[in-house]
C-alpha cells in the first residue's frame, strides 16, 4: 500500500490507475457499488455528500463517465461543477500545478478526463483533494471496476474460475483490465493485432505480479474459445481519429460477431464499455443479442462511481 492510498495517511486518496488500489480495496469498492445499487433501487435516500462539491475537468468527450459521476454526486446530496478544460485558463496556458492548487481550494474531489497520463499524475501531485482518473490515453481505471461489478452480478464472485477474454485494441480499457487481472488474481486472455498489443511496460509489470496467466495472442478465434466473459472496445479511441481508416482495415478480423462468439461458451456474457460502433468492433446482433450485458454495465458505472466518491472523500 502506498502513501496515496493508505487510509491512515492524511493525504488525499487519488485513483489514477488500478494499481493505486489493493485487491481488498478493489473488492470493497465493488461491494460498496453493489450495496449502493440495492439501496438506491429501494427508493431510500442516501445523502452523505451534502455540502460537498465535485469538479469534472474534461478535455475529451464523455456521455457515461460525465453523467454517471454527476448523477452519483447529486444523488448523494452533493453538487458538481463541469469544467471543459478549453474554458478554463488552462486552455490559455495556465499551469497544471497552479490550476490543481486553486481548484483544491474550491472543490472536495475532482475527476479528470484527458489525453496523457502525465497530466492527471501532475494534477494529483499538486492537488490537496482526491483526484480520480476518468480516462486517459493509457488507463480507464473507473471503467474496469464497474465492468467487474457487472461480471459479478451475472456470473458470481468466483472470478478466478471464469475465462475472461479481451478482443481488439490493447488500449486504455485493456490496460486497466490487465492491472485488475493482476491485482485480483484472475486470468485474462487478450487477442490483439500485431502493433496494437498493450503497452509493454504495463503488461510486463502486471504479469510480474500476477498469480494467473495474462496472455496476449493475435488469433481472436483461439482467444475466445470457451470464454465466459468477452470484452471489446472501439478500434479508434479518442485522439486516434487520423488513424481511423488504417485501424478499420487491420482490426476487421477482430469484430465480435455471432460467428466469433459461437466459439465461446453458450452462456458467455459480452461487455463493451460503450460508445459502440456497430459493425466495426461489435456486430448489431451481438450488441443487442441475449449474451450482451452492456446496458447493465453502463448503469453500474453510476453506483460504482458513488462508491468511489464515498471512498475518496471519506464519506
Ligand atoms: N465508457 C465510457 O467511459 O463512456 P463515455 O466515454 O461516454 O464516458
Ligand atoms: N478506448 C476508448 C474508450 C472510451 C470510453 C477511448 O479512449 O476513446
Amino acid at each position: 500500500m502506498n502513501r496515496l492510498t493508505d487510509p491512515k495517511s492524511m493525504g488525499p486518496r487519488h485513483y489514477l490507475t488500478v494499481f493505486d488500489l489493493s485487491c481488498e480495496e478493489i473488492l470493497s469498492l465493488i461491494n460498496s457499488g453493489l450495496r449502493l445499487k440495492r439501496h438506491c433501487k429501494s427508493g431510500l435516500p442516501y445523502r452523505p455528500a451534502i455540502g460537498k462539491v465535485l469538479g469534472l475537468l474534461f478535455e475529451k468527450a464523455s456521455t457515461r463517465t460525465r453523467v454517471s459521476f454527476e448523477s452519483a454526486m447529486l444523488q448523494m446530496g452533493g453538487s458538481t461543477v463541469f469544467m471543459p478544460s478549453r474554458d478554463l485558463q488552462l486552455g490559455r496556458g495556465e499551469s497544471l500545478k497552479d490550476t490543481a492548487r486553486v481548484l483544491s481550494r474550491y472543490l472536495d474531489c475532482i475527476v479528470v478526463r484527458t489525453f496523457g497520463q502525465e497530466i492527471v499524475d501532475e494534477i494529483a501531485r499538486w492537488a490537496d483533494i482526491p483526484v480520480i482518473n476518468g480516462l486517459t490515453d493509457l488507463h480507464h481505471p473507473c471503467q474496469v471496476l464497474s465492468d467487474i461489478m457487472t461480471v459479478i452480478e451475472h456470473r458470481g464472485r468466483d472470478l478466478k474460475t471464469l475465462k475472461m477474454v479481451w478482443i481488439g485494441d490493447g488500449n486504455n480499457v485493456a490496460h486497466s483490465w490487465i492491472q485488475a487481472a493482476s491485482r485480483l488474481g484472475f486470468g485474462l486472455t487478450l487477442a490483439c493485432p500485431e502493433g496494437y498489443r498493450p503497452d509493454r511496460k504495463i503488461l510486463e509489470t502486471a504479469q510480474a505480479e500476477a498469480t494467473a496467466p495474462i496472455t496476449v495472442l493475435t488469433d481472436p478465434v483461439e482467444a475466445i474459445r470457451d470464454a465466459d466473459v468477452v470484452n471489446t472496445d472501439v478500434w479508434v479511441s479518442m485522439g486516434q481519429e487520423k488513424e481511423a481508416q488504417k485501424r478499420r482495415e487491420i482490426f476487421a478480423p477482430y469484430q465480435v460477431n455471432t460467428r466469433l462468439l459461437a466459439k465461446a461458451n453458450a452462456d458467455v456474457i459480452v461487455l463493451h464499455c460503450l460508445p459502440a460502433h456497430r459493425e466495426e468492433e461489435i456486430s448489431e446482433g451481438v450488441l443487442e443479442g441475449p449474451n450482451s450485458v452492456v446496458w447493465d454495465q453502463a448503469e453500474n458505472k453510476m453506483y460504482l462511481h458513488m462508491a468511489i466518491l464515498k471512498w475518496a472523500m471519506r464519506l
Side-chain angles (χ1 to χ4, degrees), residues 85-98:
S85 54
R86 66 176 176 280
D87 291 350
L88 300 184
Q89 294 290 5
L90 200 52
R92 298 179 57 250
E94 188 171 12
S95 70
L96 289 168
K97 71 177 179 183
D98 292 0

Side-chain angles (χ1 to χ4, degrees), residues 21-39:
L21 299 176
S22 65
C23 173
E24 293 70 30
E25 285 173 314
I26 293 172
L27 294 174
S28 160
L29 282 174
I30 292 172
N31 284 335
S32 174
L34 288 163
R35 273 197 309 276
L36 285 160
K37 184 172 183 177
R38 280 196 299 276
H39 186 92

Side-chain angles (χ1 to χ4, degrees), residues 207-241:
Q207 284 170 328
E209 283 194 26
T211 51
I214 299 173
T215 313
V216 185
L217 308 174
T218 47
D219 182 358
V221 177
E222 188 186 346
I224 208 168
R225 197 164 291 130
D226 302 323
D228 297 298
V229 177
V230 171
N231 199 352
T232 190
D233 186 16
V234 293
W235 292 341
V236 184
S237 284
M238 290 180 279
Q240 298 171 337
E241 289 75 10

Side-chain angles (χ1 to χ4, degrees), residues 60 113 135 140 171-173 233-234 236-238 273-275:
K60 287 178 174 173
R113 171 169 284 207
L135 181 146
H140 198 358
N171 65 12
N172 43 9
V173 182
D233 186 16
V234 293
V236 184
S237 284
M238 290 180 279
C273 66
L274 305 178

Side-chain angles (χ1 to χ4, degrees), residues 28-290:
S28 160
L29 282 174
I30 292 172
N31 284 335
S32 174
L34 288 163
R35 273 197 309 276
L36 285 160
K37 184 172 183 177
R38 280 196 299 276
H39 186 92
C40 291
K41 300 257 183 212
S42 76
L44 291 170
Y46 179 66
R47 305 272 184 268
I50 289 174
K52 303 283 184 193
V53 185
L54 172 69
L56 297 110
L57 176 55
F58 276 41
E59 204 173 358
K60 287 178 174 173
S62 173
T63 298
R64 280 144 289 268
T65 305
R66 173 186 173 176
V67 180
S68 60
F69 262 115
E70 291 205 37
S71 185
M73 190 65 180
L74 295 171
Q75 291 208 36
M76 293 199 297
S79 309
T80 66
V81 181
F82 184 69
M83 302 170 287
S85 54
R86 66 176 176 280
D87 291 350
L88 300 184
Q89 294 290 5
L90 200 52
R92 298 179 57 250
E94 188 171 12
S95 70
L96 289 168
K97 71 177 179 183
D98 292 0
T99 304
R101 285 178 292 181
V102 170
L103 291 178
S104 297
R105 304 287 175 108
Y106 305 143
L107 304 169
D108 297 287
C109 184
I110 186 165
V111 180
V112 180
R113 171 169 284 207
T114 188
F115 291 88
Q117 181 70 21
E118 68 285 357
I119 296 174
V120 76
D121 289 345
E122 176 76 354
I123 293 172
R125 188 168 162 232
W126 292 98
D128 298 319
I129 55 173
V131 176
I132 295 164
N133 179 355
L135 181 146
T136 62
D137 292 343
L138 274 190
H139 296 276
H140 198 358
C142 297
Q143 182 68 47
V144 67
L145 299 190
S146 43
D147 292 353
I148 294 171
M149 174 176 164
T150 310
V151 172
I152 289 174
E153 276 185 333
H154 286 268
R155 283 289 169 274
R157 293 184 172 274
D158 208 353
L159 300 173
K160 292 177 189 171
T161 64
L162 300 174
K163 180 169 178 191
M164 312 266 204
V165 175
W166 176 272
I167 305 282
D169 196 10
N171 65 12
N172 43 9
V173 182
H175 292 155
S176 291
W177 263 84
I178 287 168
Q179 290 195 333
S182 174
R183 272 289 133 102
L184 295 181
F186 63 80
L188 181 63
T189 306
L190 301 97
C192 311
E194 285 301 341
Y196 298 88
R197 290 163 59 92
D199 176 86
R200 180 194 284 263
K201 192 162 161 231
I202 292 172
L203 178 66
E204 289 179 356
T205 309
Q207 284 170 328
E209 283 194 26
T211 51
I214 299 173
T215 313
V216 185
L217 308 174
T218 47
D219 182 358
V221 177
E222 188 186 346
I224 208 168
R225 197 164 291 130
D226 302 323
D228 297 298
V229 177
V230 171
N231 199 352
T232 190
D233 186 16
V234 293
W235 292 341
V236 184
S237 284
M238 290 180 279
Q240 298 171 337
E241 289 75 10
K242 287 201 181 104
E243 303 169 33
Q245 191 49 40
K246 184 177 165 210
R247 282 175 165 266
R248 283 188 194 112
E249 285 161 23
I250 290 170
F251 281 96
Y254 294 79
Q255 184 187 81
V256 178
N257 51 35
T258 45
R259 198 158 30 89
L260 186 62
L261 203 64
K263 315 275 184 214
N265 283 338
D267 62 351
V268 63
I269 57 168
V270 177
L271 300 174
H272 189 313
C273 66
L274 305 178
H277 291 77
R278 288 168 165 81
E279 310 311 331
E280 289 191 20
E281 75 277 359
I282 192 163
S283 67
E284 171 81 6
V286 170
L287 188 73
E288 302 288 359

